[in-house]
Amino acid sequence: MSALQPSELDRPALARGRPAAGADPGTASAALRRAEFGDRLRTLALAAPLLLLLALSFGIPIVLLLSRAVYDPTIADALPRTSVALADWNGQGPPADAAFIALAADLSENQAKGTAYELAKALNARLPGARSQVLKTVRQLEGAGGRPPLEIMKAVPFWSAPGTWPTIANGTRAITSFYLLSALDLRWNADGGIERVPPEQAIFLQVFLRTFFVAAAVTLATLLLGFPLAYLISSVPKGLAAILIVAVLLPFWTSILVRTAAWTVLLQKFGLVNDLLLWLGIASERLDLMYSRIGLIIAMTHIQLPFTLLPIYSVMRTIAPSQMKAAYSLGARPFTAFRRVYLPQVFPGIMAGCLLTFILCLGYYITPALIGGASDQLISNFIANYVNVELNWEMAAALSFILLVFTLALFGIFARILGLDRLKMV
Amino acid sequence: MKIAKTRMLAFAAATALFGIGHAFADELSIMASGGAWQDAQRKAWFEPFSKETGAKILEQEYLGDLGKVKAMVDTGNVPIDLVTVETATVLQGCDAGILERLDYSKIGPRDKFIEGSALDCGVGLDAYGDILAYDPTVLKEAPTSVLDLFDTKKFPGKRAMRKFPAQNLEWALMADGVAPADVYKVLATPEGVDRAFKKLDTIKKDIVWWDAGAQPAQLLASKEVVMTTAWNGRIQNAIDTDKKPFKIVWNNQILEYDMIAIPKGAKNPELAYKYLAYISKPENNAKLASYITYGPVRTDAASFVAADALPKLPNAPDHLAGAYLVADTEFWGDYGEDLVKRFNAWLAQ
């Protein structure tokens, strides 16, 4: 990529020089614009299959899935009459009897259509305990035997309980902020304002913070290990460098699952690492390395090391050793020479490597699940849980959306401060 | 031209035949959760059923999550006819409309199943116990109840529990003095939930959490923990086949049922029903106990259980003599999602 940049930069410079030499600057620049337009068109045509593939396989599914975070028509579709009956309810106290009758009619219709279970589940997600109440009421309505629906509804205390009707009224709006707010540990209160959920239910902000902390710690660790190693590889003779590179790449080509499983063998209580620490006398008793934050960071650092190291190495390789010698000969001390000559040139590589590792760490799933303890699960583990176990895809979409926004925001800040053109990938 | 037309017709006929043949083929695709349990089902049910009916059984494995099944049903491409699931998952799948509501006239009399083991969308396969297991070579004094989990003075060291609120909250309440019969009544109130979590707080730092059924035996074998909660069959399997010295504590066990269900849109529902009817016959239902120590769910199956298998079953008379609890599926259907969230928040604190 960096090889392309100079020629692209050169072209406008040449172009600027050309009109001065030509007889008619207007025609020349128009011709040039046409030529550039053709160039751009060709570039676009070449990239089109890729862009199309990205849009179809990546863009559209992501948008569709994320739209689930704010669009949940289950309750609205299931309760059309109730929606109408609640239209002019002020939200205070139980609504008029007409709403109860409308709800009874909607419930019976859902039972006839076979969608009562879906409705029960959707209500239960917002109001724990609603599931069995809906199903119980539906069964009673079915076997009513001439009893008026209003009487049946009033006989079930659940339908007159304080929280029930606001939840139903909220649910009849298909566009909802319920899931996005939940993903940030927030909720609507009875007065229509937004409040924090009680501390024993607050979870996601903490998990987001934890995810960023682990990602930052792993990034730092890979940098501390990767920088000297990259320097070593770039400064030894070619044959040795090739061997070292292979040593870095071999584990890189092994699947994450295999490497994670290997770490569980090494880190367990009676595993090799604990044996070694005891034998060396570094630890006096066996440490809890498995199911802990420290074990998680060790394993993730090992997996991420090549992602940080390779961009740094690719930049270091291009820096001529004579530059440092020149700095020494001009009177710089080694540290000054490193700081003012070497580091600024390596910097784009460091940034690219760290950014890559940091963003990849935000999406980690397997390693925290296998090596992390209960309090080391990252946001992806929660998203997976909502997708696979809870079947609450709306909540999963909301969490994914927040993660995506955070990640893009971080990337944006990063690009703003450093400038994307300074990043040098491999 | 004529030849081309004939060929095309023949081709069309062939593909149509192939399609029909495929749809009606006597193939039954069953998704089960692997390990010793699937091996036992193969010997007790898959192979004899194949022999009797000539139907071929295609086995698939998964981890018990319904997400995959939901994706199949949502996209209208359901390559499986039967799926084995936990009871709470049956309710969840029923609510979400991804499991077929069963017609018991094609399976067997519903009142001959143990209470709670014949649900609208799932029929019971076996009864298993959530029990406590330990290694007597490590733990000198033997625990006498699952509730000894909470006694870190008498039994110091790490203990493993399932990373899920179900069972743990019930045990916490029982350890806090709630009678088994009142557990779900107490747990349905906010104060009861607080009380259970407060009890769990007392041992939180001593707990290692497991997710998969095979983990408890591994954790005991690697001496990572001194005791663990587990599904009884997995531990018995480690004792019988891997010759581990583990012991099972039955007192205060929680009884649960494994279930099997038909996903909506399954290609071969008739054969699936035939299979359900086959395994629900009392003499067949009792057969599984010979291959893994999970008990039958038919009330009239006990007399068919092999004599040497009986003493190891969770619902053997001896094991129901002490205190025990039958897991309340309805309760977990209602409060599960909320308690899982609260549990995860508690874990994170």
Side-chain angles (χ1 to χ4, degrees):
Chain A
M1 217 166 109
S2 55
L4 276 176
Q5 277 163 358
S7 61
E8 273 168 6
L9 286 173
D10 290 345
R11 203 179 297 149
L14 283 173
R16 266 196 303 279
R18 214 185 283 166
D24 187 351
T27 334
S29 70
L32 183 70
R33 266 203 304 277
R34 268 198 304 279
E36 278 188 342
F37 181 71
D39 263 3
R40 237 174 267 151
L41 216 60
R42 258 195 299 283
T43 317
L44 202 65
L46 283 174
L50 177 69
L51 291 176
L52 197 69
L53 183 75
L54 272 181
L56 286 178
S57 68
F58 215 61
I60 293 173
I62 286 181
V63 171
L64 282 180
L65 190 68
L66 290 185
S67 68
R68 275 184 176 243
V70 289
Y71 181 67
D72 178 18
T74 319
I75 299 176
D77 286 353
L79 302 176
R81 297 181 188 84
T82 317
S83 307
V84 175
L86 284 178
D88 49 358
W89 177 52
N90 63 3
Q92 302 301 314
D97 286 353
F100 281 87
I101 295 169
L103 182 61
D106 282 335
L107 288 180
S108 299
E109 193 183 304
N110 276 288
Q111 175 72 346
K113 279 195 306 192
T115 52
Y117 276 81
E118 255 166 82
L119 171 66
K121 185 196 168 230
L123 274 175
N124 201 65
R126 294 152 188 253
L127 198 63
R131 200 193 68 92
S132 61
Q133 298 296 330
V134 170
L135 299 179
K136 196 169 99 184
T137 311
V138 160
R139 277 195 293 270
Q140 284 179 5
L141 287 167
E142 208 174 22
R147 249 175 99 205
L150 184 62
E151 193 184 305
I152 295 173
M153 299 301 287
K154 295 270 182 178
V156 181
F158 174 79
W159 297 115
S160 307
T164 307
W165 282 100
T167 308
I168 294 176
N170 235 320
T172 53
R173 287 187 281 276
I175 302 283
T176 174
S177 55
F178 173 78
Y179 297 104
L180 282 179
L181 288 177
S182 300
L184 291 168
D185 292 336
L186 298 170
R187 68 178 183 193
W188 292 102
N189 62 15
D191 315 323
I194 291 173
E195 63 175 16
R196 288 180 172 281
V197 300
E200 72 270 11
Q201 287 168 25
I203 172 166
F204 298 122
L205 284 183
Q206 207 178 357
V207 176
F208 276 116
L209 280 178
R210 182 194 303 160
T211 306
F212 285 101
F213 169 78
V214 169
V218 171
T219 306
L220 189 67
T222 55
L223 179 62
L224 292 179
L225 287 173
F227 189 89
L229 187 55
Y231 184 76
L232 180 72
I233 299 175
S234 69
S235 56
V236 295
K238 264 193 174 152
L240 189 56
I243 295 172
L244 286 173
I245 278 286
V246 167
V248 171
L249 285 179
L250 264 184
F252 181 57
W253 291 328
T254 316
S255 99
I256 290 188
L257 186 60
V258 170
R259 274 184 286 170
T260 301
W263 275 109
T264 65
V265 174
L266 291 175
L267 291 175
Q268 60 183 316
K269 199 157 196 175
F270 290 84
L272 284 177
V273 172
N274 258 321
D275 285 350
L276 191 70
L277 288 177
L278 273 185
W279 185 69
L280 289 173
I282 294 171
S284 56
E285 59 179 47
R286 292 184 179 272
L287 305 174
D288 289 320
L289 296 174
M290 272 298 283
Y291 314 115
S292 72
R293 185 73 48 92
I294 191 75
L296 175 64
I297 290 177
I298 290 174
M300 282 175 71
T301 301
H302 171 238
I303 295 167
Q304 284 303 125
L305 188 58
F307 290 97
T308 310
L309 184 145
L310 290 175
I312 298 178
Y313 168 67
S314 75
V315 175
M316 280 181 173
R317 220 177 36 176
T318 62
I319 302 172
S322 53
Q323 289 187 3
M324 290 293 273
K325 286 179 192 148
Y328 297 147
S329 74
L330 290 169
R333 286 153 181 258
F335 181 70
T336 312
F338 172 78
R339 189 172 58 87
R340 298 190 53 186
V341 176
Y342 198 71
L343 200 57
Q345 299 188 70
V346 187
F347 197 66
I350 295 178
M351 283 303 142
C354 287
L355 186 66
L356 203 58
T357 288
F358 187 79
I359 288 179
L360 284 173
C361 284
L362 292 179
Y364 252 71
Y365 164 68
I366 294 174
T367 315
L370 290 180
I371 293 185
S375 52
D376 304 312
Q377 301 303 302
L378 305 186
I379 199 67
S380 310
N381 300 91
F382 285 84
I383 294 172
N385 187 58
Y386 277 112
V387 170
N388 292 326
V389 185
E390 302 290 333
L391 296 187
N392 189 342
W393 289 12
E394 286 75 21
M395 199 64 223
L399 289 173
S400 308
F401 181 75
I402 305 268
L403 179 64
L404 188 65
V405 168
F406 276 158
T407 309
L408 287 178
L410 269 173
F411 187 77
I413 292 168
F414 204 85
R416 192 67 185 269
I417 293 172
L418 290 160
L420 268 185
D421 51 331
R422 291 197 58 195
L423 290 180
K424 285 189 183 166
M425 298 287 177
V426 185
Chain B
M1 187 69 199
K2 203 179 170 200
I3 295 168
K5 220 177 210 170
T6 326
R7 274 189 193 157
M8 263 167 75
L9 263 175
F11 179 72
T15 45
L17 268 178
F18 178 76
I20 291 167
H22 195 69
F24 287 97
D26 276 347
E27 272 180 1
L28 190 64
S29 179
I30 302 182
M31 194 144 99
S33 50
W37 186 52
Q38 190 157 333
D39 294 342
Q41 288 186 68
R42 187 176 310 119
K43 286 179 213 148
W45 295 331
F46 298 167
E47 285 169 2
F49 179 74
S50 278
K51 211 175 273 172
E52 196 175 296
T53 60
K56 195 175 159 206
I57 290 191
L58 303 174
E59 289 181 50
Q60 303 193 30
E61 256 186 52
Y62 82 131
L63 280 174
D65 303 338
L66 266 187
K68 204 171 162 184
V69 182
K70 180 179 162 66
M72 289 175 191
V73 175
D74 282 358
T75 54
N77 177 23
V78 186
I80 48 171
D81 302 308
L82 285 166
V83 54
T84 61
V85 267
E86 285 182 45
T87 327
T89 320
V90 171
L91 286 185
Q92 200 189 9
C94 219
D95 292 356
I98 51 185
L99 297 179
E100 201 73 54
R101 312 198 73 185
L102 296 176
D103 177 359
Y104 273 88
S105 68
K106 294 182 190 167
I107 299 171
R110 202 169 172 174
D111 56 353
K112 287 278 197 263
F113 286 86
I114 302 178
E115 197 186 339
S117 69
L119 302 177
D120 287 354
C121 293
V123 54
L125 291 174
D126 60 57
Y128 64 93
D130 298 307
I131 47 88
L132 183 75
Y134 66 99
D135 183 346
T137 61
V138 174
L139 219 50
K140 291 291 167 260
E141 197 172 352
T144 54
S145 154
V146 181
L147 307 183
D148 283 339
L149 272 174
F150 294 87
D151 193 344
T152 47
K153 276 216 184 71
K154 209 165 155 192
F155 305 101
K158 294 262 177 191
R159 49 264 280 130
M161 294 167 90
R162 185 172 173 211
K163 197 161 82 198
F164 199 69
Q167 298 112 42
N168 295 332
L169 294 179
E170 285 100 317
W171 278 320
L173 280 184
M174 286 192 266
D176 204 38
V178 177
D182 299 329
V183 162
Y184 288 107
K185 235 180 291 162
V186 175
L187 207 50
T189 64
E191 301 78 41
V193 176
D194 287 344
R195 190 172 161 188
F197 277 105
K198 229 168 143 189
K199 187 70 188 173
L200 280 175
D201 270 337
T202 61
I203 55 165
K204 189 176 181 184
K205 62 174 182 16
D206 300 300
I207 304 175
V208 170
W209 300 97
W210 60 268
D211 299 289
Q215 276 174 299
Q218 286 162 10
L219 288 168
L220 271 188
S222 64
K223 299 191 171 48
E224 199 81 31
V225 297
V226 298
M227 54 168 81
T228 179
T229 67
W231 298 323
N232 73 293
R234 303 288 185 138
I235 297 298
Q236 194 65 48
N237 192 54
I239 297 171
D240 293 344
T241 43
D242 303 336
K243 305 295 172 219
K244 295 288 179 195
F246 306 153
K247 285 253 182 328
I248 291 176
V249 180
W250 294 100
N251 193 18
N252 286 111
Q253 68 159 321
I254 296 178
L255 269 182
E256 298 196 69
Y257 308 117
D258 280 313
M259 300 251 148
I260 189 160
I262 305 177
K264 275 235 172 87
K267 301 266 185 305
N268 215 341
E270 284 316 308
L271 193 59
Y273 269 115
K274 220 167 155 185
Y275 178 78
L276 294 183
Y278 177 82
I279 61 167
S280 298
K281 279 185 197 153
E283 63 272 25
N284 294 339
N285 195 230
K287 250 190 228 162
L288 188 75
S290 302
Y291 303 100
I292 192 163
T293 52
Y294 295 143
V297 288
R298 286 280 297 240
T299 48
D300 46 4
S303 57
F304 296 100
V305 176
D308 57 333
L310 190 67
K312 293 174 183 171
L313 299 184
N315 46 357
D318 277 359
H319 300 152
L320 299 179
Y324 71 96
L325 186 70
V326 179
D328 186 336
T329 325
E330 278 290 323
F331 175 86
W332 283 105
D334 276 1
Y335 295 93
E337 196 167 338
D338 211 43
L339 287 177
V340 168
K341 199 176 165 219
R342 168 92 186 252
F343 183 74
N344 285 332
W346 174 79
L347 284 179
Q349 277 158 12

